Amino acid sequence: MSQRFALILGPVGVGQERADFAGTFTVVDAAAPALSVGELSTQRGDGVFESIGVVDSHAQEVTAHLERLANSARICDLPEPNLEQWRQAIAVAAAECPAGEWVIKLILSRGVEHGPTPTAWVTAAPASDFTAVRSAGVSIVTLDRGYPLDIAERSPWLLLGAKTLSYAVNMAALREARRRGAGDAVFLSSDGFVLEAPTASLILRFGDRFITPAPTGGILHGTTQLSVYEFLAGRGFETGYEQVRASDLGRADAAWLVSSVRLAVAITAVDGQSLPVDHALTTELNKYLLSPRD
Ligand code: PLP
């Protein structure tokens, strides 16, 4: 996924309300180096990010992503982002995305070591082609994250509810899943509850009721899961947030991993045991998720 467009956001306080932030943006050559070697994002993974799906030049669910960016910044003690400035930067980037599926990334880092302000930038790149996995589904293995369910409240310095740039552990979990012959992973708490996938939320179906692990701080609250719940509620299905025991995973009538760019992918097997796949509903979900959503 090579970047095709990048812009850097100049420092703007939250109190600075103005109609047009274009003068605070610097478009940079997406193929050329643009960051200082002192950047704390690269040195320490110290910052937060968002990945927004773009379909035919329309950036999806921008408000939900901006709210989560602000929440991640709050958890990480980063200065409050000026959301109007970010919204306008997203609009500039989306206008650079031709037809098809693209991904816009928002990155807010703590900045250069001993520097005065955070560094903020936005990129746009073509999305990977997820057509095959959306129709075939994915097998998963469960992996112990090593923390109990209530860890976020007890140890907020672990930053568990924030979408931080420190994704090395998530990537390692995906590699472990592949070593075990699966396509993806679902993390479990050390006390046996289901959490989330390394880059997606989990939704389970039991009859006409859909549940997802409660985002009580230990996991990221997925914007796609929220969209899927809106769709399901509109179809008259019951939806809810619960503590889900690991043993419930294999009993589900169907299950999905959902995320902003790959969208809805059915889970075909859990730890080698097959799970029923609802192909028709998966197709409907992806059709909905590919339609313009604000
Ligand atoms: N959980 C984790 C850990 C993620 O990294 C992601 C997305 O990258 C999600 C859940 C799903 O979030 P969203 O639907 O907003 O993409």
Side-chain angles (χ1 to χ4, degrees):
M1 207 187 287
S2 57
Q3 311 299 340
R4 296 279 178 79
F5 178 78
L7 70 71
I8 296 181
L9 283 67
V12 170
V14 267
Q16 282 177 259
E17 297 310 333
R18 50 175 133 173
D20 186 0
F21 285 96
T24 69
F25 303 151
T26 309
V27 176
V28 294
D29 179 350
L35 295 178
S36 159
V37 289
E39 246 305 312
L40 291 168
S41 52
T42 50
Q43 287 188 21
R44 295 191 173 147
D46 195 353
V48 298
F49 79 107
E50 283 296 319
S51 295
I52 302 179
V54 183
V55 183
D56 295 337
S57 310
H58 184 273
Q60 304 279 55
E61 296 286 357
V62 170
T63 300
H65 283 284
L66 286 176
E67 280 169 3
R68 194 169 60 189
L69 183 79
N71 189 47
S72 296
R74 198 173 309 123
I75 292 172
C76 294
D77 300 319
L78 284 162
E80 191 179 342
N82 185 314
L83 296 189
E84 185 50 31
Q85 185 198 27
W86 284 91
R87 191 184 294 281
Q88 290 183 25
I90 295 166
V92 172
E96 296 291 326
C97 300
E101 291 182 51
W102 285 61
V103 54
I104 287 180
K105 284 200 176 176
L106 320 180
I107 297 126
L108 174 62
S109 104
R110 201 169 302 278
V112 174
E113 199 159 18
H114 312 303
T117 55
T119 313
W121 69 100
V122 169
T123 63
S128 304
D129 183 356
F130 291 117
T131 322
V133 72
R134 282 176 198 154
S135 67
V138 71
S139 60
I140 61 136
V141 287
T142 52
L143 297 178
D144 184 0
R145 190 177 245 171
Y147 302 134
L149 197 58
D150 64 352
I151 193 69
E153 290 148 48
R154 290 202 282 126
S155 306
W157 48 87
L158 293 176
L159 309 178
L160 283 176
K163 193 166 168 72
T164 76
L165 290 169
S166 314
Y167 258 48
V169 167
N170 304 44
M171 297 300 106
L174 288 179
R175 290 196 299 276
E176 179 62 21
R178 287 178 191 138
R179 266 195 291 276
R180 296 187 190 190
D184 212 319
V186 164
F187 287 123
L188 303 180
S189 66
S190 58
D191 41 0
F193 292 95
V194 178
L195 298 171
E196 62 187 341
T199 63
S201 313
L202 174 75
I203 297 176
L204 304 173
R205 177 176 190 167
F206 294 95
D208 281 346
R209 181 170 159 69
F210 292 75
I211 60 169
T212 193
T216 45
I219 62 174
L220 212 61
H221 198 174
T223 61
T224 318
Q225 174 263 308
L226 285 166
S227 281
V228 167
Y229 267 27
E230 228 175 87
F231 171 85
L232 293 170
R235 294 298 186 90
F237 290 114
E238 196 188 332
T239 58
Y241 295 89
E242 284 185 12
Q243 292 186 354
V244 183
R245 293 213 157 270
S247 52
D248 290 338
L249 252 181
R251 293 194 305 105
D253 295 316
W256 293 266
L257 295 183
V258 301
S259 53
S260 293
V261 183
R262 194 173 62 172
L263 305 181
V265 170
I267 296 177
T268 56
V270 178
D271 294 329
Q273 185 196 326
S274 295
L275 208 64
V277 172
D278 189 336
H279 287 289
L281 184 54
T282 308
T283 304
E284 273 190 79
L285 285 175
N286 281 318
K287 197 169 158 214
Y288 169 73
L289 292 171
L290 284 166
S291 65
R293 289 172 294 115
D294 289 319

